[in-house]
């Protein structure tokens, strides 16, 4: 997972400032998603495409048209997706930046121990515009509870729990991290 996060951080650094994103890292791949209706979504996908050395295009999907780009970087599949549509609400003023997302990735890479493959780990970072939040999602099973407990041992519990999380802690530097055990 560290390799995937390093590739993602490198792509984001090369792409430069852009709109709010959610990124999902799984073994061997990363996906960057722009919220539907987010201003600057197409430009974000274009910037990611440029960072990947390719171009973005329209992909039909279930009656909708997604603006996407996909490439492989150092053996890691990288996909960026945007569903262009009018925004339903006016976005709140943004207090975060792409640099905050990259800093969160750097924090996770420095802290994260090896994740066991049997739990199907997924690392998600979300830039809401107000803050960056990290999640680790694992498939619930015999080892998931012990893994979650061991993973957060010694970390400070966050004063605000994330919805649906088994636990929410603060990583060094204050990055909130929630652990979610998912049913198989």
């Amino acid at each position: 997972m560290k390799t995937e996060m390093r590739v993602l951080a490198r792509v984001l650094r090369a792409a430069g400032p852009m709109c709010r994103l959610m990124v999902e890292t799984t073994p061997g791949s990363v996906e960057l998603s722009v919220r539907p209706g987010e201003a600057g979504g197409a430009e974000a996908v274009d910037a990611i495409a440029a960072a990947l050395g390719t171009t973005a295009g329209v992909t039909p999907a279930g009656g909708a048209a997604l603006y996407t780009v996909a490439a492989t970087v150092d053996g890691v599949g990288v996909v960026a997706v945007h569903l262009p549509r009018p925004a339903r609400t006016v976005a709140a003023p943004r207090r975060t930046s792409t640099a905050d997302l990259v800093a969160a990735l750097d924090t996770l890479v420095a802290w994260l121990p090896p994740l066991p493959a049997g739990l199907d780990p997924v690392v998600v970072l979300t830039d809401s515009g107000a803050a960056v939040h990290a999640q680790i999602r694992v498939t619930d099973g015999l080892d998931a509870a012990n893994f979650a407990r061991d993973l957060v041992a010694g970390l400070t519990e966050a004063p605000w729990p994330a919805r649906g999380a088994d636990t929410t802690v603060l990583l060094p530097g204050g990055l909130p991290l929630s652990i979610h055990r998912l049913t198989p």
Side-chain angles (χ1 to χ4, degrees):
M1 297 298 281
K2 288 188 177 191
T3 300
E4 291 84 351
M5 288 189 281
R6 285 184 183 112
V7 165
L8 178 56
R10 197 167 74 224
V11 169
L12 288 172
R13 281 185 184 99
M18 64 186 75
C19 65
R20 299 176 295 178
L21 299 172
M22 182 181 88
V23 298
E24 184 171 309
T25 306
T26 57
S29 67
V30 296
E31 180 178 326
L32 301 97
S33 302
V34 178
R35 291 181 181 194
E38 177 80 15
E43 292 83 356
V45 174
D46 284 337
I48 293 164
L52 295 170
T54 188
T55 56
V58 176
T59 303
L66 301 175
Y67 194 58
T68 64
V69 64
T72 301
V73 177
D74 296 341
V76 175
V78 179
V79 176
V81 179
H82 173 57
L83 173 59
R85 71 175 185 203
R88 294 184 190 165
T89 60
V90 176
R94 186 167 178 192
R95 296 189 308 246
T96 58
S97 69
T98 305
D100 296 316
L101 193 58
V102 172
L105 282 163
D106 291 341
T107 297
L108 275 172
V109 167
W111 169 81
L112 192 65
L115 298 175
L119 297 175
D120 299 326
V122 176
V123 177
V124 178
L125 285 115
T126 304
D127 175 2
S128 68
V132 174
H133 183 93
Q135 293 181 13
I136 296 179
R137 300 174 184 166
V138 294
T139 302
D140 200 3
L142 296 175
D143 296 332
N146 292 334
F147 167 74
R149 186 185 65 246
D150 293 346
L151 189 63
V152 300
L155 296 173
T156 303
E157 189 171 338
W160 60 93
R163 185 175 57 224
D166 290 82
T167 187
T168 304
V169 294
L170 297 175
L171 293 181
L175 175 66
L177 169 70
S178 58
I179 309 296
H180 299 257
R181 291 183 309 176
L182 308 174
T183 55

